[in-house]
Amino acid sequence: MTIAQEPTALNFECETGNYHTFCPISCVAWLYQKIEDSFFLVIGTKTCGYFLQNAMGVMIFAEPRYAMAELEEGDISAQLNDYAELKRLCEQIKRDRNPSVIVWIGTCTTEIIKMDLEGLAPKLEGEIGIPIVVARANGLDYAFTQGEDTVLAAMAHRCPDKAPVAEAEKNERNAVQKLLNFGKKKELVAQEESEYVDHPPLVLFGSLPDPVVTQLTLELKKQGIKVSGWLPAKRFTELPVLEEGYYVAGVNPFLSRTATTLMRRRKCKLIGAPFPIGPDGTRAWIEKICSVFGITPKGLDEREAQIWAGLEDYVKLIRGKSVFFMGDNLLEVSLARFLVRCGMTVQEVGIPYMDKRYQAAELAMLEKACQEMGVPSPKMVEKPDNYNQVQRIYDLKPDLVITGMAHANPLEARGINTKWSVEFTFAQIHGFTNARDILELVTRPLRRNNNLKDLGWDKLVREEAKI
Amino acid sequence: MKLAYWMYAGPAHIGTLRVATSFKNVHAIMHAPLGDDYFNVMRSMLSRERDFTPVTTSVVDRHVLARGSQEKVVDNITRKDAEERPDLIVLTPTCTSSILQEDLENFVERAQLEAKGDVLLADVNHYRVNELQAGDRTLHQIVQYYIEKARKKGELPEGKTAKPSVNIIGISTLGFHNNHDCTELKRLMADLGIEVNAVIPEGASVHELKNLPRAWFNLVPYRELGLMTANYLEKEFGTPCIDIVPMGVVETARCIRKIQEVINAQGADVNYEDYINEQTLYVSQAAWFSRSIDCQNLTGKKAVVFGDNTHAAALTKILSREMGIHVVWAGTYCKYDADWFREQVSEYCDEVLITEDHGEIGDAIARVEPSAIFGTQMERHVGKRLDIPCGVIAAPIHVQNFPIGYKPFLGYEGTNQITDLIYNSFTLGMEDHLLEIFGGHDTKEVITKGISAGSDLSWTKDGLAELNKIPGFVRGKVKRNTEKFARDRGFKDISAEVLYAAKEAVGA
């Protein structure tokens, strides 16, 4: 190890912001599936619609639960009445689909023409009798995954603020709990209740696939911690109760706005922990929640060690290799931290937006990981410039670049291994169980190119790219 | 406001970018918010491009909105000019940024002061035109810009090429099988002894555009892209435009005859009849296939066609005229050019449908229950749901439309590819016989929840047993037909008798 590689403190930079990422309205693609009784109405232009259809590869099948309210010339020039138009569309949605909630997704265009969605929604909601949640998932203010943040922050306002009195009803609300107790006798359930430590209610926020929700809930249950609910729940009608003083913890690094809303508007207490990504992150997340509730965690050492042991066949493929994050989905810091723990050197962490407070625990953990593993700290680049990044990639020659879809093929053609950052957005990566899936993704390009390396087909472009 | 689930043609800026990035050494600057730049993803992922897409977004964010975007846009243009030295930078807004009503023309003028290359603002109304119209317009604009520039400098070449020559106009990136079509057209021109003066926009340099007037004629293979340019060149230089799509044996011959007429009028003396005859009867397999015993089984089968003007019209003609297939309806999503479509296909189909609403198309398919669909990716999905095979013949573009093997739609090799596509889309000859016999070895449980689930009809034990004997791939259709028959006649229970009565009634 040379002196130049001595660990240093994290160094933050901000570039031009000329970078590629997906539009925040993408969140519709996973949220409509997560919230089963919802309907998402994206109020925007043809450009928005074509994005959802094409770049996201979201095909409309038999029973779509999202649609575009496509703004036409008359809407833009304010010749048409926004309220009347939205009412017409929402009535049609009610007639065709009858959802429990309609989520209006505001876009750049509604921002620019200053369409007062928040003002229109309450009146229309009263008229058609379906709750309307308004989220401004626009590209002027947000990047890619932050779209989910805007929706969850808006939904946080709709969580009931009083726990129902009857216990039966409470169980009804808690879908996860119901699932875990499925098929069990009442007495058994009561007995299980006693397995929990007495602690203030805890609500987790962040949209995760149902199996992962169950895994994390069970992981906390092992420590005697009961998860009272998830934001979002599987159904809008099952949104968790949020009383003043409830504890909340996030599972995704891009939910800073939701966190702020929960603290300021719902007076909840935020548990600021690293995120449950990778065995190290999951352990730290559980430990932090335990410590807040005064619980001494049991068996976490063994659990983490066991997971790491199971990862060894993957880890040995990447140990000592370098990785470069161009920045896309705001999961970069958590993934970088985990990959450092796997023995990689992270050269750069590009990230669209960095909330240093919400990500504080994660950043500290990254710094610590670099120190303990004896690798240099990555350069942190907020609002990166893709052109400059590509030049840096040519210089640094990383073993792996984690990048958005626009740059993957050109980099591969120049002999640089890449992995799509979007895959980490859609894959199940949270918790102990799924750590292997992260490495499955990370190592895939290396394994693939290992298989092909004897062919000598590294560079598939005629001349070196112009600098 | 319009409730929209699906779009057949993209927004205007996609058309502009397709044209701009098709040219060699042209860079586009998008003046747009974060996330509007998914064109880069489409080009990189769908067509597996090896090079970085030459499009840079000058990102509009809250900050830029507050202080005006001029500085940023101009900076990004001049920066890109210095970094990549493109011949031309095309600036385009998107639907979103176009409503800011900024004086982008002025931005371009400012940037031009510093930039070494040319700078042009794509002149497109983002709310009135779609991808196809915008692409056509942008190509026209770029060609006109360089013709006028050359004229001002006195650099326009005089006269025509010595030998007959052609400009192939309208080959572009992210076009439906465009790359293979282009190769096929070049081969065809070589066979005809015609030089290719230029192919635009794909792979062309803007500096060569001044040579366009040297061609003897312009060939516009796709109606959606290139007509405006060809019309402009005809007006300016009198270059004849041939817009007969050389797709299918008959139309390819018609196109070649037109070429013969056009170049002979300019002093050539060619006769392509022998060539056409040779290709039609012996080289292309399509004409022979139409006469072969295989194709006999396709006679009178019902098909529907939907796509862009070029492909939907051509396929309708091929199905009806060259293969004897009954086209129940043919449709296009090119509403802006509907008259042309009607005129082209009316005599080859029972009904013409002009719509951008995929729901209407889905219903129309369900209504006629054709044996095969020829449509876009959307119709392929409709077909999956209804259990009707679908051959994809038109954009919206999909990764499957970039096969790595050679699969043109145009010219004589195109006729073979299309014949394969059509033949393989239908239930094949022997399968047809199985349907006739009603037997087969496939005795899996009948899936009762189908499109007609929840009906008031019930199947008797023997009816169900009989249904079970029908091969799986047609069982759904037989079931639907039988239930329809039973409902029409007021039967409550469907027995084996009813099933066979239904079979007789539909003449299956």
Side-chain angles (χ1 to χ4, degrees):
Chain A
M1 196 115 326
T2 60
I3 294 184
Q5 279 181 311
E6 277 299 296
T8 45
L10 291 177
N11 185 13
F12 292 90
E13 272 180 39
C14 193
E15 279 192 302
T16 65
N18 284 351
Y19 66 105
H20 159 77
T21 186
F22 278 144
C23 174
I25 60 171
S26 330
C27 67
V28 166
W30 63 87
L31 286 176
Y32 95 91
Q33 292 181 44
K34 174 73 199 177
I35 309 169
E36 291 170 358
D37 53 351
S38 63
F39 192 99
F40 283 77
L41 184 66
V42 180
I43 305 164
T45 57
K46 262 184 184 308
T47 302
C48 311
Y50 203 59
F51 165 70
L52 281 180
Q53 156 182 338
N54 220 316
M56 294 300 294
V58 186
M59 293 290 284
I60 308 277
F61 295 108
E63 310 266 294
R65 276 192 292 107
Y66 72 86
M68 286 292 307
E70 191 184 311
L71 298 168
E72 296 171 296
E73 207 168 1
D75 301 301
I76 303 299
S77 54
Q79 284 162 345
L80 295 167
N81 179 299
D82 296 338
Y83 183 79
E85 290 294 296
L86 282 167
K87 185 178 167 194
R88 183 169 57 79
L89 265 46
C90 288
E91 276 173 345
Q92 191 183 333
I93 291 164
K94 183 183 177 183
R95 211 168 40 240
D96 296 347
R97 310 278 317 141
N98 198 26
S100 305
V101 60
I102 298 177
V103 183
W104 285 356
I105 301 288
T107 61
C108 304
T109 309
T110 54
E111 289 296 312
I112 290 172
I113 63 175
K114 298 193 165 54
M115 192 182 275
D116 181 20
L117 297 177
E118 279 93 346
L120 299 173
K123 195 175 153 206
L124 187 53
E125 181 173 290
E127 232 177 305
I128 64 168
I130 295 178
I132 296 173
V133 171
V134 181
R136 299 179 172 197
N138 67 77
L140 299 169
D141 300 305
Y142 306 103
F144 192 16
T145 47
Q146 286 179 293
E148 174 178 322
D149 195 19
T150 63
V151 174
L152 297 191
M155 278 199 179
H157 292 284
R158 300 302 182 110
C159 294
D161 52 9
K162 280 258 158 19
V165 193
E167 194 61 22
E169 222 180 311
K170 191 174 175 183
N171 281 341
E172 192 62 30
R173 238 177 206 296
N174 192 337
V176 179
Q177 209 55 48
K178 215 165 62 185
L179 190 75
L180 295 179
N181 291 338
F182 183 74
K184 288 179 189 159
K185 290 212 181 75
K186 246 205 176 118
E187 307 82 69
L188 220 57
V189 174
Q191 184 200 328
E192 285 200 354
E193 287 291 314
S194 66
E195 290 171 20
Y196 291 113
V197 178
D198 188 29
H199 64 81
L202 170 70
V203 171
L204 300 180
F205 59 95
S207 167
L208 295 178
D210 296 335
V212 186
V213 165
T214 313
Q215 286 161 8
L216 288 180
T217 308
L218 281 174
E219 217 60 76
L220 288 172
K221 188 184 168 198
K222 281 186 189 154
Q223 307 300 336
I225 296 167
K226 181 176 178 180
V227 179
S228 306
W230 283 77
L231 172 70
K234 256 170 92 85
R235 303 180 68 81
F236 180 74
T237 48
E238 290 166 0
L239 279 178
V241 175
L242 287 174
E243 278 184 49
E244 191 173 333
Y246 272 28
Y247 279 86
V248 290
V251 295
N252 276 326
F254 42 77
L255 299 175
S256 58
R257 202 182 162 81
T258 309
T260 314
T261 308
L262 290 170
M263 286 190 295
R264 296 206 184 136
R265 309 298 295 273
R266 304 306 305 257
K267 310 277 184 249
C268 294
K269 291 176 186 158
L270 178 72
I271 302 177
F275 299 98
I277 293 171
D280 51 336
T282 308
R283 180 205 172 131
W285 182 74
I286 296 171
E287 269 179 347
K288 184 66 198 269
I289 296 172
C290 285
S291 79
V292 168
F293 293 142
I295 296 167
T296 315
K298 308 173 283 240
L300 272 185
D301 276 337
E302 296 78 10
R303 185 105 170 94
E304 193 193 345
Q306 175 203 345
I307 297 293
W308 277 114
L311 298 178
E312 182 53 29
D313 55 335
Y314 277 143
V315 170
K316 68 176 183 232
L317 293 172
I318 51 174
R319 196 172 281 136
K321 295 217 155 60
S322 54
V323 58
F324 188 111
F325 287 88
M326 286 187 79
D328 187 24
N329 52 19
L330 278 82
L331 294 170
E332 289 84 4
V333 183
S334 306
L335 289 172
R337 178 257 304 147
F338 170 50
L339 293 181
V340 166
R341 281 286 170 199
C342 290
M344 293 187 94
T345 303
V346 181
Q347 292 167 330
E348 176 165 330
V349 175
I351 188 165
Y353 167 77
M354 173 72 76
D355 185 324
K356 284 188 192 160
R357 281 173 63 192
Y358 180 63
Q359 293 238 41
E362 192 61 275
L363 287 166
M365 204 173 161
L366 170 64
E367 210 172 323
K368 190 162 162 242
C370 291
Q371 275 163 12
E372 289 181 5
M373 300 300 289
V375 294
S377 297
K379 174 173 168 169
M380 311 293 288
V381 182
E382 199 181 350
K383 295 192 187 303
D385 181 289
N386 282 163
Y387 182 85
N388 294 346
Q389 283 185 315
V390 169
Q391 310 311 314
R392 291 200 289 273
I393 288 169
Y394 290 155
D395 285 347
L396 293 168
K397 300 189 173 53
D399 295 307
L400 179 67
V401 175
I402 296 183
T403 177
M405 286 188 155
H407 296 100
N409 267 335
L411 287 172
E412 285 284 349
R414 284 155 185 79
I416 296 160
N417 296 324
T418 62
K419 192 75 216 149
W420 296 333
S421 43
V422 227
E423 289 192 72
F424 298 97
T425 318
F426 293 114
Q428 304 188 356
I429 61 167
H430 291 73
F432 284 127
T433 324
N434 300 310
R436 208 178 157 76
D437 294 52
I438 306 178
L439 292 187
E440 165 65 30
L441 290 176
V442 168
T443 59
R444 195 175 293 157
L446 304 170
R447 285 180 287 127
R448 194 267 304 264
N449 294 346
N450 238 354
N451 293 344
L452 306 182
K453 73 167 184 268
D454 293 337
L455 298 168
W457 300 337
D458 295 353
K459 298 238 166 72
L460 292 156
V461 278
R462 274 189 214 284
E463 67 251 271
E464 277 294 32
K466 287 180 286 183
I467 307 281
Chain B
M1 244 176 252
K2 191 169 85 179
L3 200 58
Y5 290 99
W6 174 259
M7 268 180 267
Y8 285 102
H13 77 272
I14 297 283
T16 295
L17 293 179
R18 274 179 54 194
V19 167
T21 58
S22 291
F23 280 107
K24 219 164 41 191
N25 206 27
V26 169
H27 204 97
I29 301 274
M30 278 177 76
H31 168 48
L34 202 66
D36 269 8
D37 63 345
Y38 54 88
F39 175 79
N40 299 30
V41 176
M42 289 173 60
R43 188 160 181 275
S44 171
M45 298 304 303
L46 298 183
S47 57
R48 273 174 239 104
E49 271 295 328
R50 299 177 198 215
D51 286 321
F52 290 99
T53 302
V55 177
T56 301
T57 314
S58 174
V59 176
V60 180
D61 58 17
R62 196 58 77 175
H63 189 64
V64 171
L65 270 190
R67 41 183 276 182
S69 41
Q70 170 155 350
E71 200 182 328
K72 182 156 190 181
V73 173
V74 172
D75 277 357
N76 275 317
I77 295 176
T78 51
R79 179 185 156 189
K80 211 29 81 178
D81 180 69
E83 277 169 1
E84 314 245 353
R85 293 259 163 255
D87 298 325
L88 167 69
I89 289 180
V90 176
L91 174 67
T92 178
T94 59
C95 301
T96 318
S97 46
S98 70
I99 39 179
L100 293 170
Q101 297 190 320
E102 293 157 310
D103 187 1
L104 295 177
E105 197 60 66
N106 180 31
F107 295 9
V108 162
E109 279 165 28
R110 278 256 333 262
Q112 186 67 82
L113 296 177
E114 262 187 71
K116 299 258 190 323
D118 299 312
V119 189
L120 199 62
L121 170 67
D123 173 27
V124 163
N125 182 321
H126 291 259
Y127 284 88
R128 295 198 185 155
V129 301
N130 66 18
E131 168 190 358
L132 307 173
Q133 295 160 290
D136 202 17
R137 167 69 190 130
T138 303
L139 182 60
H140 170 217
Q141 195 189 353
I142 293 175
V143 167
Q144 184 174 16
Y145 178 86
Y146 281 98
I147 294 279
E148 279 171 9
K149 190 176 171 186
R151 185 178 275 150
K152 243 182 245 159
K153 287 186 171 172
E155 287 174 354
L156 270 189
E158 288 288 321
K160 305 282 173 192
T161 54
K163 284 171 75 184
S165 62
V166 59
N167 295 323
I168 300 173
I169 302 178
I171 306 290
S172 75
T173 189
L174 290 179
F176 188 80
H177 291 248
N178 271 203
N179 43 353
H180 298 160
D181 282 351
C182 182
T183 309
E184 189 59 23
L185 285 179
K186 283 181 181 167
R187 282 186 189 170
L188 180 63
M189 292 306 137
D191 283 356
L192 299 178
I194 293 168
E195 283 174 0
V196 176
N197 184 59
V199 175
I200 60 166
E202 184 64 43
S205 154
V206 289
H207 297 311
E208 295 159 7
L209 293 177
K210 61 172 185 286
N211 295 324
L212 289 176
R214 287 175 56 76
W216 289 35
F217 68 99
N218 292 318
L219 179 63
V220 181
Y222 312 114
R223 199 166 165 81
E224 290 75 26
L225 179 59
L227 268 188
M228 277 178 92
T229 307
N231 290 340
Y232 164 77
L233 292 171
E234 182 155 21
K235 199 177 104 231
E236 290 289 312
F237 306 102
T239 319
C241 162
I242 296 178
D243 62 353
I244 298 166
V245 183
M247 203 183 298
V249 179
V250 177
E251 290 295 287
T252 302
R254 194 160 77 91
C255 179
I256 295 173
R257 290 196 180 101
K258 182 74 185 173
I259 292 173
Q260 173 179 319
E261 179 194 323
V262 159
I263 63 175
N264 281 350
Q266 295 177 66
D269 180 22
V270 293
N271 186 338
Y272 294 137
E273 285 307 324
D274 288 347
Y275 175 78
I276 293 171
N277 203 43
E278 173 77 10
Q279 290 288 328
T280 304
L281 297 183
Y282 309 114
V283 180
S284 159
Q285 298 296 309
W288 157 234
F289 179 84
S290 301
R291 286 303 298 261
S292 74
I293 200 73
D294 268 335
C295 192
Q296 224 176 58
N297 287 326
L298 299 184
T299 308
K301 287 245 186 201
K302 285 194 293 184
V304 298
V305 182
F306 189 76
D308 60 359
N309 266 358
T310 302
H311 292 85
L315 253 293
T316 305
K317 291 177 192 170
I318 294 170
L319 288 167
S320 155
R321 205 162 46 176
E322 297 178 21
M323 302 184 90
I325 291 162
H326 177 193
V327 179
V328 186
W329 56 257
T332 178
Y333 53 81
C334 297
K335 274 171 93 168
Y336 62 94
D337 197 16
D339 293 344
W340 179 85
F341 186 77
R342 259 196 210 96
E343 180 218 310
Q344 292 291 311
V345 304
S346 333
E347 57 177 308
Y348 302 110
C349 59
D350 303 350
E351 195 188 332
V352 177
L353 262 175
I354 314 281
T355 181
E356 290 173 332
D357 178 0
H358 78 282
E360 200 180 326
I361 295 299
D363 290 346
I365 293 171
R367 173 162 50 84
V368 303
E369 288 206 31
S371 305
I373 306 167
F374 297 93
T376 71
Q377 290 293 337
M378 191 49 172
E379 286 68 49
R380 192 168 66 86
H381 281 280
V382 173
K384 266 192 198 162
R385 275 163 52 203
L386 297 172
D387 216 4
I388 301 171
C390 175
V392 174
I393 54 137
I397 208 71
H398 188 275
V399 70
Q400 285 178 345
N401 304 131
F402 295 92
I404 53 179
Y406 187 53
K407 290 208 163 60
F409 271 62
L410 300 183
Y412 286 109
E413 180 54 27
T415 62
N416 293 337
Q417 296 295 336
I418 292 172
T419 304
D420 275 343
L421 178 74
I422 293 173
Y423 183 59
N424 294 332
S425 296
F426 282 101
T427 319
L428 302 183
M430 274 316 289
E431 293 175 357
D432 230 25
H433 288 301
L434 284 175
L435 171 61
E436 287 291 325
I437 299 158
F438 253 22
H441 45 265
D442 180 357
T443 51
K444 271 183 277 176
E445 273 289 315
V446 176
I447 302 157
T448 38
K449 53 168 194 198
I451 284 237
S452 52
S455 74
D456 43 345
L457 297 163
S458 65
W459 286 73
T460 65
K461 210 172 166 191
D462 64 330
L464 214 51
E466 230 32 63
L467 186 62
N468 262 323
K469 290 182 196 159
I470 296 166
F473 61 89
V474 287
R475 196 181 291 144
K477 186 172 174 180
V478 171
K479 181 164 180 279
R480 278 197 302 279
N481 280 340
T482 310
E483 289 181 349
K484 193 165 162 241
F485 171 84
R487 205 169 287 123
D488 289 346
R489 307 291 161 99
F491 293 119
K492 274 236 142 88
D493 298 312
I494 302 175
S495 61
E497 283 89 330
V498 177
L499 177 68
Y500 286 114
K503 176 186 181 305
E504 282 157 25
V506 297

